[in-house]
Amino acid sequence: TLVTASPRLRNVGILTHPAQRRQGYGRAVVSFMTAHALAEGSIGHYQTLMANTSSTAIARMRRGRVSITRCWR
């Protein structure tokens, strides 16, 4: 999902079916949504649990293009 949180902030979120994980789909979709948010002049915000190592890897890949906030351990 790409949700408008405020006029310049877009929440970027994804849920990948377990059978489709580890194939690059999540990374590709987050990259596309982030690029879309940036193209419209917005900031992308991607949030995950720190324990979700696959999701945090996507967040690290997008550093500088998505705001990263450490909320949970």
Side-chain angles (χ1 to χ4, degrees):
T1 59
L2 187 60
V3 178
T4 301
S6 73
R8 291 198 22 104
L9 181 67
R10 303 293 181 263
N11 288 325
V12 177
I14 186 162
L15 213 58
T16 306
H17 188 279
Q20 303 301 317
R21 293 181 183 157
R22 314 259 336 139
Q23 298 180 48
Y25 298 130
R27 187 176 301 248
V29 171
V30 170
S31 292
F32 176 82
M33 289 191 296
T34 301
H36 180 75
L38 292 171
E40 63 181 20
S42 299
I43 298 167
H45 176 77
Y46 183 80
Q47 181 175 321
T48 188
L49 296 172
M50 294 305 292
N52 186 338
T53 56
S54 296
S55 187
T56 55
I58 290 172
R60 280 193 294 280
M61 181 227 26
R62 303 308 311 162
R63 184 172 290 262
R65 302 187 72 187
V66 177
S67 65
I68 300 172
T69 305
R70 185 175 183 158
C71 298
W72 303 282
R73 293 178 188 255

